[in-house]
C-alpha cells in the first residue's frame, strides 16, 4: 500500500467523480482508475460500487475512507511538525538599527555577514536607540546599533566610533556657499530641525545639547519623527538640520552639506547586546566591523 493510493482514494471519495478527482490531483483519469483498482486488489475488497453515478462507497469503502483520512491527517501533521522543528533549529540573528547607520558601514557589514553565514536567517528592524534597549531585554533583537549611551546592567554596550556631525542646509540658501566649517553661532539664527521627536532621550537631545552647552538657542525648533522628514524640510527651506557625516551619502534635491565647527560635534555609534549572552553570530558581526574599520583607516572605539 502506498500513500499515493490513499490520497487518490480519498480524492475520488470526496469528489464522487473520477474526472473531477483526476483534475484535482492533476493527473489523467485512466492512471487514477488503475490506481484505485490496484488499491482494491491489494485490500481484497471492493471500495466503490460499480456503475454508481455519482460514485458511492461500499460499506467497506466508507470504513477505509475514514481510516485513510485519519492516516493522511496524521502524516500531514508529522510533516508540519518536522518543518516547524527544522525552522526552530535554524539559527537567527535579529538586528535593530537607527536609520542613520544605513548610510554608513552597516550595510557592508550585513552583506559580508550574509556571505559568511548563508544558513543564518538575518532580519533587520529600524528602531530608535531607546526602543533597541527594550527589544534587547525582551529578546526581540539580538544586537542593536544606536547612538545614545544608555546604561543598563542587563546590556553590554560597545563604542564602535564617534562620527563627526555636519550641517544639512538648503542648497539655494546662503549657508550652502563657502568652504569653511559653519559654527553654532552662525546657525542659531536659523530654524533648527531635529529628529526623532519621540521617544526621548534620543539623537535630537544630542543636537540640542550642542547649542545649550555653547550658551546658544536656535531661533525656532521643529521636531520631526525621522531623518527623511527632516531632510525633506531642509529641501523645502524650512530650516537646517545637524546630521551624522554618513548622511551626506544620501543625495536630496536642494540639500547641501557643510562641515560643523563645534566642540564635541560628534555622535557615537554604539553596538548593544545582552550581557552574558554568547553568540557566535554577534561575535562575527563584531569581527567584521573591526576588519572593515581597519581597511577604511578608522580607529575602532574612538
Amino acid at each position: 500500500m502506498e500513500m499515493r493510493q490513499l490520497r487518490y482514494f480519498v480524492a475520488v471519495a470526496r469528489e464522487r467523480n473520477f474526472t473531477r478527482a483526476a483534475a484535482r490531483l492533476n493527473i489523467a483519469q485512466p492512471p487514477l482508475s488503475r490506481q484505485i483498482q490496484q488499491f482494491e486488489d491489494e485490500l481484497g475488497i471492493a471500495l466503490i460500487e460499480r456503475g454508481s453515478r455519482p460514485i458511492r462507497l461500499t460499506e467497506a469503502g466508507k470504513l477505509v475512507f475514514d481510516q485513510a483520512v485519519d492516516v493522511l491527517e496524521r502524516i500531514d501533521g508529522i510533516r508540519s511538525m518536522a518543518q516547524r522543528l527544522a525552522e526552530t533549529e535554524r539559527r537567527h540573528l535579529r538586528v535593530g538599527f537607527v536609520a542613520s547607520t544605513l548610510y554608513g558601514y552597516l550595510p557592508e557589514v550585513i552583506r559580508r555577514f550574509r556571505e559568511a553565514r548563508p544558513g543564518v536567517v538575518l532580519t533587520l528592524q529600524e528602531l530608535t536607540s531607546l526602543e533597541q534597549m527594550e527589544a534587547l531585554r525582551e529578546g526581540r533583537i539580538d544586537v542593536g546599533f544606536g547612538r545614545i549611551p544608555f546604561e543598563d546592567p542587563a546590556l553590554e554596550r560597545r563604542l564602535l566610533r564617534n562620527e563627526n556631525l555636519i550641517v544639512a542646509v538648503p542648497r539655494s540658501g546662503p549657508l550652502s556657499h563657502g568652504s569653511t566649517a559653519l559654527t553654532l553661532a552662525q546657525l542659531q539664527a536659523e530654524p533648527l530641525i531635529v529628529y526623532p521627536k519621540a521617544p526621548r532621550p534620543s539623537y535630537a537631545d544630542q543636537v540640542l545639547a550642542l547649542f545649550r552647552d555653547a550658551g546658544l538657542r536656535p531661533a525656532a525648533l521643529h521636531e520631526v519623527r525621522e531623518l527623511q522628514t527632516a531632510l525633506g524640510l531642509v529641501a523645502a527651506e524650512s530650516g537646517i538640520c545637524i546630521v551624522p557625516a554618513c548622511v551626506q551619502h544620501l543625495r536630496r534635491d536642494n540639500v547641501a552639506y557643510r562641515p560643523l565647527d563645534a566642540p564635541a560635534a560628534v555622535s557615537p555609534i554604539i553596538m548593544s547586546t545582552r550581557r552574558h549572552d554568547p553568540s557566535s553570530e554577534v561575535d562575527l558581526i563584531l569581527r567584521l566591523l573591526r576588519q572593515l574599520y581597519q581597511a577604511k583607516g578608522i580607529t575602532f572605539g574612538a
Side-chain angles (χ1 to χ4, degrees):
M1 186 184 301
E2 300 178 5
M3 293 300 302
R4 177 180 57 180
Q5 292 173 323
L6 288 179
R7 294 191 183 279
Y8 286 0
F9 172 63
V10 168
V12 170
R14 284 175 170 165
E15 294 294 336
R16 304 180 67 186
N17 181 282
F18 275 95
T19 301
R20 289 197 302 268
R24 175 179 172 182
L25 295 167
N26 198 30
I27 62 173
Q29 181 176 333
L32 175 60
S33 299
R34 287 195 297 270
Q35 287 293 327
I36 297 300
Q37 182 62 57
Q38 291 175 9
F39 189 38
E40 290 180 315
D41 292 343
E42 290 179 7
L43 294 177
I45 192 170
L47 302 175
I48 297 174
E49 293 184 7
R50 291 295 179 263
S52 59
R53 296 290 186 277
I55 286 174
R56 292 194 302 270
L57 299 181
T58 63
E59 290 301 316
K62 294 175 183 178
L63 292 174
V64 172
F65 173 77
D66 291 339
Q67 294 297 317
V69 169
D70 184 61
V71 169
L72 292 175
E73 287 179 348
R74 288 175 179 268
I75 293 297
D76 289 341
I78 291 172
R79 182 179 293 108
S80 297
M81 179 185 66
Q83 291 172 346
R84 289 194 300 270
L85 289 172
E87 180 63 24
T88 300
E89 292 175 355
R90 293 186 68 185
R91 290 177 296 173
H92 292 74
L93 182 68
R94 296 156 298 183
V95 178
F97 63 93
V98 296
S100 61
T101 57
L102 285 183
Y103 306 111
Y105 298 110
L106 181 59
E108 176 63 15
V109 170
I110 294 302
R111 185 189 67 78
R112 295 186 183 190
F113 179 90
R114 291 186 191 277
E115 289 181 352
R117 298 285 173 84
V120 175
V121 179
L122 190 148
T123 56
L124 299 169
Q125 185 175 0
E126 182 181 352
L127 298 168
T128 66
S129 297
L130 190 59
E131 290 169 339
Q132 289 177 32
M133 301 304 98
E134 182 178 357
L136 281 166
R137 288 192 296 268
E138 295 177 354
R140 290 185 283 114
I141 63 172
D142 303 300
V143 58
F145 295 92
R147 292 188 178 273
I148 308 301
F150 296 111
E151 292 298 329
D152 189 317
L155 305 178
E156 184 173 354
R157 318 294 305 285
R158 295 181 180 87
L159 173 63
L160 301 181
R161 65 188 178 100
N162 284 301
E163 184 175 9
N164 291 331
L165 298 180
I166 59 176
V167 189
V169 302
R171 187 178 299 276
S172 56
L175 290 179
S176 66
H177 307 298
S179 57
T180 59
L182 296 171
T183 65
L184 293 174
Q186 291 175 283
L187 299 177
Q188 75 165 340
E190 302 293 327
L192 177 66
I193 303 165
V194 296
Y195 67 92
K197 184 175 183 178
R200 304 291 275 271
S202 69
Y203 171 75
D205 297 291
Q206 291 182 347
V207 172
L208 294 174
L210 293 176
F211 287 89
R212 184 176 62 252
D213 293 345
L216 301 173
R217 176 179 294 181
L221 184 66
H222 301 303
E223 297 180 81
V224 297
R225 294 180 61 87
E226 58 185 25
L227 169 61
Q228 290 281 2
T229 305
L231 293 178
L233 290 178
V234 172
E237 302 183 10
S238 297
I240 57 99
C241 184
I242 296 177
V243 298
C246 64
V247 174
Q248 64 188 313
H249 298 301
L250 175 62
R251 301 299 180 185
R252 290 289 300 261
D253 291 339
N254 201 35
V255 174
Y257 298 97
R258 296 283 304 276
L260 176 62
D261 181 10
V266 296
S267 178
I269 301 177
I270 300 170
M271 176 178 169
S272 302
T273 56
R274 284 181 292 276
R275 196 178 298 276
H276 310 306
D277 184 13
S279 167
S280 60
E281 280 73 40
V282 172
D283 289 343
L284 175 59
I285 287 283
L286 190 58
R287 187 162 65 252
L288 291 172
L289 277 165
R290 291 181 181 274
Q291 292 172 356
L292 184 58
Y293 279 19
Q294 183 178 15
K296 298 292 184 179
I298 300 172
T299 302
F300 187 89

